Every structure is written in C-alpha cells, then in structure tokens.
Amino acid sequence: MKTFKKFNNSFRGKSFISINQFSSKKEVEIIFNTADQMKKIVEKRKVNDLLKKYCIAQLFYQPSTRTFTSFLGAAKWLGALTIPIHGMSEYSSAVKGESLADSIKSIYQTTAADLIILRHPDDDSSEVAAKNSYVPIINAGSGKKEHPTQAILDLFTIRESFKKTDNLKVAMVGDLKNGRTVKSLALLLSLMGKNNKIIFVSPGSLRAPLALLNQLKSSGTDVWETDDLNQVIDKIDCLYVTRIQKEWFAKEEEYQKVAGCYTIDKKLMSRAKKKMIVMHPLPRVNEITEEIDTDPRSFYFEQMRSGLYTRMALLKLILLGNN
Ligand code: CP
C-alpha cells in the first residue's frame, strides 16, 4: 500500500510515512537547517509560540520512552496544545474491535487535532491512517517496517559528529529483520550519497530483508553483509547497534538462539577508530555494556536530544511550511 505523497521540497500539510517520500538530499537538508534553528530555541530556554494555534495528538499503540516524550516535548517547546495518549492498545476502543481508520477519524473529531502522531504494531498502519485522516499523520514507528523520524534524528546526530552526511562507512548491527530503525536509516543514508557504505551485521536468521537490499543496491549504494562484527570494527565510522527484538519472536527458544549475539564492550572498542561513533536507537538490553557509556565515542544519549530538535522541525514544517 502506497498512499503517501512525495515531498517535492514542501512538507506543509503532508503526512510523513516513509523515507521513500524524499526525492532529494535537499529536502533532508531543509529539515536539518530547521532543526538547527529549533536547537537554538531550546538552548535559549525560551518556549516559542510558533504552533500556539495548533493541536497535536499522539496515539501510541506500542510502548515508547523516547519517541513519545520527544514529540511531546517538541510540541510543547513550540507552544502547541497537546493530546498525548499512551496505551491505545489497552485503553482505547481498539479493545472492542474499533478499526484504526475509525480511531483516527474519531480522534480528529474529539480533539480537533491539526496533526496526529502514530505508533502502531502494523507495518502498513501509517498508510492506513493517512488514507483515512483529515489531517497529516506522522509515522512514529510502524511495525517492523519503518521509523522515519528516528532515521532523521540519527542522521542529524551523524551530521553533528562528522559535519557531513556522506563518505561514511556505517555498520548496522543486530536484529536487522525485525528492527525498523535500521531500515529507515539505511534508506536515508542511501539518499544522502552513493559514497555512503552500509555494512549489515547480523546472525543469518536476522538478516535485513532482501527487498531493502535490492532497493539500496539499485540506487547505487555500496552494501555488504556479514555476521562477524570483529571483521569490520576497525574499518567503520559509525557503529549503529540495535536490540534483538524479543517481542517479534514466536518462540522463546528461537530468541535464545540469538540473544546476546553481539556485545559492544571495551575489548571491541579498543579495535575501533578513534573517531568512530557508537549509536543505538535504544532501549538497549545488554548489547552495549555500561562501561562504554563514558567512552567519548558513545553517542546514544546525545542521539536522543537530536530527536527533540528534528521533531520540532518536522512539526513546524508540516504545520507551517518551509518559510
Ligand atoms: N528509539 C525509539 O523509538 O525509542 P522508543 O521506543 O523509546 O520510542
């Protein structure tokens, strides 16, 4: 299902469902330049009233710490009225059988929201929501498929660290089958330049989907797959670690076969480049040991703050436009 519109240099009034909506690097740079301005608002500690006439609803059908709070923080820093709803799967009429389409229409009517932010376990949830919504939808994580705003914040973090978004070797490690953040980030890195090399590191059973590999390769991106992190650790600029996603495994014994398959510890980090950065969308379970938290190359906490700035930028661009 593909109901989303390409951005074509304009975000106003459009849903943000997928990285595939970008047609050029320039569109991503518009978001980053706006995020730079948003960062200044937060650093000055002065709440802005850019969105004071707007109401933003958040509907989360899956747990979230970062995405939920950074969207909420983003809306509040810009002065919007906020309707933050966690626990949709447990407490909304979805429990009684209400469809997502009806819930989206209902929330619009009951809150007069100008924009709806949605996290949902179904891969096509954001497309379904956008098709049935009177107002723009932002995909805050859809099933195993995409987490486009996470990719934006991830790349913003890379840009802050390296002052560039191309000519980079990025290793994505862990559950590449079930994880949605790696899929969106790989598509975004591919859009930013043919000189970005992506190395997918996973056990055989958790490889990135073939369709994604084919899309990346057909757009000219250099993609490589391995199950051996030791083989690549000294060659990469960015180590993007992900959790093995237990919630998607049908059987505990299948999960146990791959749990703990990669651990980022001091020994591994001693072989990495001095300027390599470690990222993780979080939550982590045990794939990065806490001893690494104080390593200057660990960026997974700063990475979250990028979510506040880039999500402020997206709210502004979608509700008010580029100017
Ligand atoms: N990175 C991320 O999506 O984290 P949450 O699940 O806590 O929102």
Side-chain angles (χ1 to χ4, degrees):
M1 184 187 298
K2 271 188 195 167
T3 56
F4 51 74
K5 289 184 189 147
K6 288 270 185 187
F7 290 125
N8 294 326
N9 292 328
S10 170
F11 299 92
R12 190 168 192 166
K14 290 179 185 158
S15 293
F16 183 20
I17 306 300
S18 167
I19 294 298
N20 288 319
Q21 285 171 267
F22 289 106
S23 9
S24 71
K25 203 172 157 166
K26 189 180 158 203
E27 290 166 355
V28 182
E29 281 159 4
I30 292 170
I31 299 174
F32 287 168
N33 293 338
T34 309
D36 289 337
Q37 295 163 21
M38 298 298 152
K39 184 175 177 182
K40 286 182 196 149
I41 292 173
V42 178
E43 284 176 349
K44 283 185 191 150
R45 315 300 294 166
K46 201 161 183 310
V47 175
N48 197 286
D49 63 1
L50 264 180
L51 300 183
K52 73 174 178 192
K53 292 187 181 158
Y54 293 89
C55 173
I56 295 172
Q58 295 178 225
L59 312 186
F60 274 54
Y61 289 78
Q62 286 182 304
S64 168
T65 301
R66 280 145 291 275
T67 314
F68 189 83
T69 52
S70 62
F71 266 119
L72 185 57
K76 285 184 177 290
W77 273 104
L78 293 176
L81 178 67
T82 55
I83 315 279
I85 313 172
H86 241 317
M88 285 293 290
S89 293
E90 293 82 15
Y91 301 113
S92 79
S93 286
V95 176
K96 303 176 216 162
E98 182 171 79
S99 69
L100 177 60
D102 280 2
S103 295
I104 292 290
K105 287 177 183 155
S106 304
I107 299 287
Y108 166 76
Q109 296 296 351
T110 58
T111 67
D114 298 288
L115 185 149
I116 296 173
I117 298 161
L118 177 71
R119 169 168 289 194
H120 195 281
D122 292 349
D123 283 0
D124 66 353
S125 49
S126 285
E127 282 103 320
V128 170
K131 202 175 160 191
N132 289 281
S133 180
Y134 307 111
V135 295
I137 298 289
I138 296 183
N139 179 357
S142 50
K144 303 174 191 173
K145 193 175 177 187
E146 273 224 53
H147 195 345
T149 67
Q150 176 74 40
I152 296 288
L153 81 85
D154 290 339
L155 194 68
F156 186 79
T157 308
I158 290 173
R159 172 184 176 259
E160 295 239 297
S161 307
F162 294 105
K163 309 296 174 215
K164 63 178 187 179
T165 53
D166 58 5
N167 267 307
L168 295 163
K169 287 194 183 74
V170 180
M172 299 189 186
V173 181
D175 189 347
L176 311 181
K177 177 184 172 196
N178 299 307
R180 53 196 173 200
T181 65
V182 284
K183 292 163 191 158
S184 293
L185 181 58
L187 291 174
L188 190 58
L189 282 166
S190 171
L191 176 82
M192 298 313 280
K194 289 196 170 72
N195 294 327
N196 283 329
K197 181 180 171 82
I198 301 171
I199 305 161
F200 288 123
V201 185
S202 70
S205 60
L206 298 178
R207 286 173 63 191
L210 196 56
L212 175 69
L213 295 172
N214 288 341
Q215 184 179 346
L216 295 170
K217 286 177 188 165
S218 67
S219 63
T221 306
D222 191 359
V223 183
W224 191 43
E225 285 188 284
T226 179
D227 61 2
D228 186 2
L229 182 55
N230 283 303
Q231 207 187 335
V232 300
I233 187 66
D234 56 339
K235 299 176 184 64
I236 54 178
D237 303 302
C238 174
L239 176 63
Y240 190 92
V241 188
T242 65
R243 178 175 64 91
I244 306 298
Q245 303 209 349
K246 187 176 183 182
E247 63 272 31
W248 295 112
F249 284 74
K251 292 183 182 159
E252 171 72 21
E253 57 263 38
E254 293 304 316
Y255 170 70
Q256 288 304 334
K257 280 183 200 161
V258 284
C261 55
Y262 301 108
T263 306
I264 315 305
D265 57 14
K266 274 193 174 169
K267 190 168 166 231
L268 187 81
M269 289 295 282
S270 71
R271 296 191 45 236
K273 287 184 189 174
K274 293 267 179 297
K275 296 219 161 149
M276 186 195 80
I277 63 169
V278 184
M279 297 175 68
H280 192 311
L282 302 181
R284 67 175 156 183
V285 183
N286 46 22
E287 57 278 357
I288 300 180
T289 58
E290 285 183 13
E291 63 183 7
I292 302 304
D293 292 356
T294 51
D295 188 308
R297 294 169 291 182
S298 294
F299 271 71
Y300 32 92
F301 294 119
E302 287 89 340
Q303 187 181 346
M304 288 184 261
R305 179 57 65 88
S306 303
L308 176 61
Y309 306 143
T310 52
R311 286 171 174 139
M312 286 169 77
L314 285 165
L315 296 180
K316 188 261 171 195
L317 288 166
I318 291 172
L319 289 170
L320 297 178
N322 298 15
N323 300 316

